[in-house]
Amino acid sequence: MLQGFFLFSIFFWRTWLYSHVLFLLVFDLLVFRYRCMLHNFAGNIEMYGILDAIASGPIDALTSENSTMVGVGMSMEGIEQNPIVYDLMSEMAFRHNKVDVKAWIDLYPSRRYGRSLPSVQDAWNILYHTIYNCTDGANDKNRDVIVAFPDVDPLFISILQDKYSYYEKQVSRGPKLKETTESFEQPHLWYSTSEVIRALELFLESGDELSGSSTYRYDLVDLTRQALAKYANQLFLQVIEAYQSNDVHGVTHHSQKFLDLVEDFDMLLACHDGFLLGPWLESAKHLAQDEEQVKQFEWNARTQITMWFDNSDMEPSLLRDYGNKYWSGLLRDYYHPRAGIYFKFLIKSLEEGNGFPLKDWRREWIKLTNDWQSSRNVYPVKGAGDALNRSRWLFNKYLQSPDIQSLNEAAVKHVI
Ligand SMILES: *[C@@H]1O[C@H](CO)[C@@H](O)[C@H](O)[C@H]1NC(C)=O
Ligand SMILES: *[C@@H]1O[C@H](CO)[C@@H](O)[C@H](O)[C@H]1NC(C)=O
Ligand SMILES: *[C@@H]1O[C@H](CO)[C@@H](O)[C@H](O)[C@H]1NC(C)=O
């Protein structure tokens, strides 16, 4: 990993992490001196990238005046996501000229799936102009509602006039760390969700021909996951909006829809080896040399992806959901019940006419987290189920109704 170029020029590390000196040292070395592609944090699963920057950044650095560049590098915190980004980046080490991404991406399905079809090629072109052209300057850190559930009083979540875009209510922020736990980080959205749903539709059109390919099925599951994740963020806002209008039926209805979605979502992820919790836990246990270590390593592995250990019974750690993952098993057994607790207290609060019991919610979800971290149940290490069938089913169930079309249009207006 050597000096060269710097793809994502805005460096963003969150203030609260400054106390973590080790991180800082590593980041200083990798990002400021060696200048590599820093594409991913914590191995979060989110389709994201800037293909044009990868296709030209290394060449610009190489050909700049007095360049001392001798190589390219990658310094992601986690790999095994966004294969297209790592494919293109790895190629750049051998290139002397900028890559024409349009031509490159037209050939991508043949290289990746063994054959291509016009529909899947069109789908990849849409993704190139949307998901893989993140030019809003924000570095991606996945805070989707399912995997990074807001730990706030629902009245702190503001719903703007042009609905379903939202931001954190201005709460006064003192220097105390405690106050940052009150905040709700808005999930990142930098593209038109309806265009991406269209790309998914095109993907599905080529499914009968391509679903024999495991890489196709991986991409299909990933894209369906991406579309559903953003849809879930919107559903969550419907729950909050109903709460804020004292509409207990609305809260009940929308929150049930959210929970059903999380369950269905888990079944989709279960279809492919690339989206399973099992391999993570089993590989940790595999390193152990005695029974004590098996327990310890499994606890470590479960803690790393949920909440780090500096919490109390009533106060969550600031590093909750830092290493969040869209993995089958984790959605069903952790994210789903956690959302259920929040919704339960929303309904209770409306029924009893009291404010949201933030302390009770915290006590319960922190306990859920601790219990899950120390449990020992075993999860599958092999994908099972027909990815194409489940993706089609989910597409029809969630992403086609007129309801979502209008939600999407509202979201697009805000994004652009
Ligand atoms: C390149 O090196 C020359 C000679 O040392 C120097 O005069 C010039 O300012 C350098 N250019 C840049 C862009 O650093
Ligand atoms: C990416 O977005 C920028 C800024 O909106 C735009 O100028 C550029 O043409 C886009 N590139 C692609 C490949 O869509
Ligand atoms: C999915 O599979 C089920 C059987 O498991 C079948 O009944 C259904 O028709 C299939 N759906 C699609 C969209 O292929």
Side-chain angles (χ1 to χ4, degrees), residues 280-290 293-294 297-298 301:
W280 171 254
L281 298 183
E282 292 311 311
S283 57
K285 288 191 262 179
H286 188 70
L287 296 172
Q289 290 176 348
D290 57 46
Q293 282 191 350
V294 173
F297 291 1
E298 176 164 13

Side-chain angles (χ1 to χ4, degrees), residues 126 130 189 191-201 227 230 234 395 399 404-413 416:
I126 293 176
T130 52
L189 182 60
Y191 59 83
S192 146
T193 49
S194 52
E195 280 183 60
V196 168
I197 290 171
R198 173 69 191 139
L200 174 57
E201 196 174 12
K230 299 304 171 192
Q234 294 168 8
F395 180 85
L399 301 173
I404 173 126
Q405 302 302 347
S406 64
L407 277 178
N408 283 327
E409 276 151 28
V412 173
K413 266 191 222 123
I416 294 167

